[in-house]
Amino acid sequence: MLANFLIGLREGLEASLIVGILVAYLVRIDRRDMLPHVWTGVGIALAVSLGFGALLTLGPQGLTFEAQEVIGGTLSIIAVGLITWMIFWMGRTARHLRGHLEGQLDKAIAVGKGAVITMALLAVGREGLETSLFLWAGITSAGSSTAPIVGATLGLIAAAALGFVVYRGAARLNLRVFFQWTGTFLVVVAAGVLAYGVHDLQEAGVLPGIDNLAFDVSGTISADSATAAVLKGIFNFSPQTTVLQAVAWVLYVVPTMWFFVRTAFRSPRPSRTPSPEPAAATTA
């Protein structure tokens, strides 16, 4: 539940901030006539994202067990790839997000209302599709209980409320710090989703080694215990983990965390101040 809450909070907040930046910019430059077009793009993006989530949930029903495992495992791995790209992209561009979006909106306004709708659709739709895919992977891997769904819903609601508070100027949020620490946590969560996807493909017979266990602590941590539920909900931990799952987890976490910490936590370079002109050059 906690993992899906944070996924919903982080992804939802990104979308909320994007909408807030677009709306605030149009108000500031006195182009309120473009607000309906922005909201049209946002509405289409939300509808497409919800439809994508429904397709992921309902599409595999009726298929064989092996086919469902292949689809689930493949989409889980794709979700890990997308969320990894997003974590690094946001870690690099969080400080410049406002300027980037305002520049894109200026170009769209110059073209016309269709371009504004498209710009808002693409900006929010990308976040929506990522959120649908990663939440689907996180909820699926966490099991059949309703707790992951509740956690994701609460995270999205909290993100919308926080985004509104930030937009209204009632609170200031250090986006760099927020994306640094949520990104660190999401790397660990993504590693669990990757291991789950590998296990799905092993159950489908696509990957070998379903019976080759790296460790089995089911005698100590029962699969239906509260401890197992917490570990699975946050880290996707399985008391019975195959060698291939463990290898995939380590090969993902170690280099990804190393690169992310180096990238996101690196101190910004000080701006260079122009050196004074030599006296000879200014007086010649």
Side-chain angles (χ1 to χ4, degrees):
M1 182 173 178
L2 177 60
N4 287 285
F5 173 81
L6 287 177
I7 293 171
L9 176 62
R10 163 149 180 156
E11 298 297 301
L13 185 58
E14 287 182 20
S16 298
L17 291 175
I18 288 173
V19 174
I21 289 171
L22 296 179
V23 171
Y25 185 61
L26 289 178
V27 172
R28 193 170 76 239
I29 65 174
D30 199 21
R31 290 302 307 266
R32 294 174 184 266
D33 58 304
M34 288 291 173
L35 285 176
H37 307 312
V38 168
W39 288 118
T40 299
V42 172
I44 296 174
L46 292 178
V48 171
S49 301
L50 290 174
F52 183 56
L55 178 64
L56 291 173
T57 304
L58 303 177
Q61 292 185 4
L63 300 177
T64 64
F65 172 77
E66 289 76 11
Q68 291 187 32
E69 296 301 285
V70 168
I71 293 174
T74 303
L75 290 179
S76 294
I77 294 173
I78 292 174
V80 172
L82 285 176
I83 200 71
T84 304
W85 172 83
M86 181 275 298
I87 291 171
F88 277 89
W89 182 82
M90 190 56 73
R92 291 195 309 269
T93 61
R95 286 172 296 164
H96 313 294
L97 182 61
R98 180 181 298 276
H100 173 75
L101 289 173
E102 290 178 351
Q104 293 295 317
L105 189 54
D106 275 336
K107 295 177 182 176
I109 292 173
V111 175
K113 62 182 183 181
V116 174
I117 294 174
T118 303
M119 187 267 168
L121 168 62
L122 294 178
V124 180
R126 184 188 63 187
E127 300 294 337
L129 293 177
E130 288 176 357
T131 303
S132 296
L133 181 57
F134 203 58
L135 281 179
W136 173 85
I139 292 172
T140 303
S141 62
S144 58
S145 70
T146 57
I149 300 175
V150 173
T153 303
L154 292 176
L156 291 173
I157 293 174
L162 185 57
F164 180 75
V165 170
V166 172
Y167 167 73
R168 298 293 296 178
R172 298 184 64 85
L173 180 65
N174 189 324
L175 293 180
R176 187 166 183 259
V177 173
F178 176 81
F179 288 123
Q180 281 174 340
W181 289 105
T182 56
T184 302
F185 182 79
L186 283 182
V187 169
V188 179
V189 173
V193 174
L194 175 63
Y196 177 81
V198 169
H199 188 261
D200 268 2
L201 295 178
Q202 287 182 304
E203 286 189 319
V206 176
L207 295 177
I210 187 63
D211 297 320
N212 188 14
L213 298 180
F215 58 83
D216 182 357
V217 295
S218 56
T220 305
I221 304 175
S222 174
D224 56 357
S225 66
T227 302
V230 172
L231 292 175
K232 187 173 183 60
I234 299 176
F235 303 111
N236 229 312
F237 172 79
S238 173
Q240 294 178 316
T241 297
T242 68
V243 171
L244 196 56
Q245 282 183 276
V247 170
W249 193 93
V250 173
L251 289 182
Y252 174 83
V253 161
V254 174
T256 305
M257 188 67 78
W258 186 80
F259 280 114
F260 178 73
V261 170
R262 282 180 57 87
T263 303
F265 287 81
R266 181 175 54 193
S267 299
R269 294 178 179 178
S271 57
R272 294 183 177 179
T273 56
S275 56
E277 294 289 339
T282 58
T283 58

